[in-house]
Amino acid sequence: MKLGLSLGVTARRGGGVLIRVAVPSVTSPADDATDIGETPTITTSAFAVTNEGLDTHASTDWQIASDAGFSTIVIQSLADTSNKTSWTVPSGQLTESTEYFVRARHNGTTYGASGWSATVSFTTASAFSYTWTNAEGEAFAAAMSGTYSDAKLALLDTYISNLKSGLTNGTNTWGGHDVLSLLFLDNATDGLRWFNSPATLMTNNGATHTPGEGYTGNGSSSYIDTGYNPAVDGVQLTLNSLGMGIWVRAVGTSSPLRVFCGAVGAAGAGSTRIGRQADGTAWFVNTAGGTIVASTSSESATGLLSANRSAASAQQAYRNGALEASDSDASSSIPSRNLFLLASNSDGAPASHSNGQISIFRAGRSFTAAEWADIYAADNALLTAWAAA
């Protein structure tokens, strides 16, 4: 929808000839264009001066608004010296299925600003199309129940890349996972998918989902069944090589033990759990007995809590990628029960329910201290950026 042009700044030279910077036209996108992506490139006609005047193109003013009168500016780039005739809208600024209005004006070094161009309107696509770097992310996106901006899809893509690259350690920890779930995703169903195997859905039994945060238990009856039995489904995870982590956003209360994730076999069989009790945070890793209590995390432990078994008589507890405790309790067996979240699967029945809130869950092989530090850095970067997106 085109509006009238405004006159540019003028100057008068000898003989009374008026000189001004010519009003540009927006050449792309076309007026009334539809199905425009999230980051369109806006282009204008070339810089020009009227009446054979001489000037140089100093900068351009770009504006996108949600109304034709430009009373509500969505994004603008004024006095832009880098993008004089072409400007790509940054990711995360435009919304799907929305009409926008764009205009531009050129600024000359000598004669100043032109008038604003005629306004061009365009409508964004109903679903932005993100180009994935990682095929695993593209597979997850294809299974998604919710709709996400390109900016958020890019965060997921970067997260996979960070786990593959190992950030500072350089080890591929992505491939060390049997199961990885991002419970904080905006759509409740997507939060229950295995991020690394999206066809698999965990089962929610009364836990409450909060977009951007995760799932919260009620402390008495709710839990999530991961559908993952480490004794049966473990590929990376083995008796003496296990890494399990849970991102705890809120700890809830303890009475006397609340479990964030775990399973316990029959009496005397293996136990694999991460929980919280009044005197600290407890880890049990493929062992029939023994408890590691890391006093430094105490009752207020949040962030990435990790339980790790690196050998038959070596297990470790990490918080936010830093070692907190270790001991030599011998491994006994892998519990042949599905791991539960926000409760423990106690030989087939939920127990030790938590009223805390959890954001990310993972299980797989044993990870080194440096790898847990990299995993924490990747998780933290994703959660922080997601909250701001």
Side-chain angles (χ1 to χ4, degrees):
M1 131 188 220
K2 294 192 170 54
L3 300 179
L5 304 178
S6 60
L7 294 178
V9 173
T10 62
R12 192 180 296 272
R13 71 178 184 184
V17 177
L18 291 176
I19 301 173
R20 60 173 175 257
V21 175
V23 175
S25 59
V26 174
T27 55
S28 180
D31 193 31
D32 296 325
T34 59
D35 202 32
I36 299 298
E38 184 193 12
T39 58
T41 298
I42 314 299
T43 61
T44 69
S45 55
F47 178 81
V49 178
T50 64
N51 295 322
E52 299 182 355
L54 297 177
D55 202 354
T56 56
H57 192 174
S59 64
T60 296
D61 298 329
W62 307 90
Q63 286 188 335
I64 295 178
S66 59
D67 64 298
F70 285 80
S71 60
T72 303
I73 303 297
V74 174
I75 183 173
Q76 62 183 358
S77 182
L78 303 179
D80 191 332
T81 58
S82 299
N83 303 290
K84 295 180 182 179
T85 58
S86 177
W87 174 56
T88 299
V89 181
S91 177
Q93 302 298 316
L94 305 184
T95 304
E96 298 172 2
S97 302
T98 303
E99 184 179 22
Y100 291 99
F101 302 85
V102 60
R103 65 183 182 181
R105 66 183 175 191
H106 290 164
N107 299 307
T109 303
T110 301
Y111 297 117
S114 71
W116 286 106
S117 68
T119 300
V120 165
S121 70
F122 65 89
T123 301
T124 50
S126 58
F128 295 143
S129 178
Y130 177 74
T131 301
W132 289 87
T133 301
N134 295 283
E136 300 91 339
E138 188 170 11
F140 186 81
M144 279 179 171
S145 298
T147 301
Y148 299 82
S149 68
D150 278 13
K152 287 189 171 180
L153 297 180
L155 293 177
L156 297 179
D157 203 9
T158 298
Y159 178 63
I160 296 172
S161 294
N162 286 343
L163 292 178
K164 286 182 175 181
S165 70
L167 294 174
T168 59
N169 185 54
T171 303
N172 182 345
T173 57
W174 170 268
H177 289 80
D178 282 338
V179 56
L180 172 61
S181 295
L182 307 182
L183 298 110
F184 68 89
L185 290 178
D186 296 342
N187 179 275
T189 300
D190 293 336
L192 294 175
R193 295 187 189 280
W194 292 8
F195 185 52
N196 57 336
S197 184
T200 305
L201 274 169
M202 300 187 292
T203 302
N204 180 25
N205 295 273
T208 302
H209 178 258
T210 303
E213 295 183 5
Y215 275 87
T216 305
N218 61 15
S220 60
S221 60
S222 62
Y223 64 96
I224 294 171
D225 185 344
T226 67
Y228 174 74
N229 181 329
V232 176
D233 305 315
V235 176
Q236 297 296 323
L237 184 155
T238 62
L239 176 62
N240 294 315
S241 178
L242 178 152
M244 185 169 70
I246 193 83
W247 189 287
V248 178
R249 190 180 181 91
V251 296
T253 56
S254 58
S255 179
L257 172 67
R258 301 294 189 184
V259 174
F260 298 122
C261 61
V264 182
S271 173
T272 297
R273 292 182 286 172
I274 299 176
R276 171 189 172 249
Q277 52 196 25
D279 58 351
T281 301
W283 287 260
F284 311 76
V285 191
N286 288 356
T287 182
T291 301
I292 303 173
V293 177
S295 59
T296 52
S297 63
S298 70
E299 291 187 77
S300 59
T302 58
L304 178 61
L305 307 185
S306 309
N308 198 79
R309 177 171 288 281
S310 56
S313 296
Q315 53 179 337
Q316 303 85 30
Y318 295 89
R319 177 169 178 260
N320 291 342
L323 180 68
E324 285 206 330
S326 62
D327 80 359
S328 57
D329 283 346
S331 59
S332 57
S333 62
I334 303 174
S336 187
R337 295 290 182 184
N338 287 358
L339 290 177
F340 284 177
L341 306 181
L342 297 170
S344 176
N345 184 346
S346 183
D347 197 23
S352 302
H353 297 270
S354 170
N355 60 351
Q357 185 182 64
I358 56 178
S359 301
I360 299 175
F361 162 69
R362 58 172 35 88
R365 66 168 173 82
S366 168
F367 295 109
T368 66
E371 288 174 332
W372 277 120
D374 279 347
I375 289 170
Y376 165 71
D379 286 2
N380 188 52
L382 173 61
L383 290 167
T384 300
W386 196 273

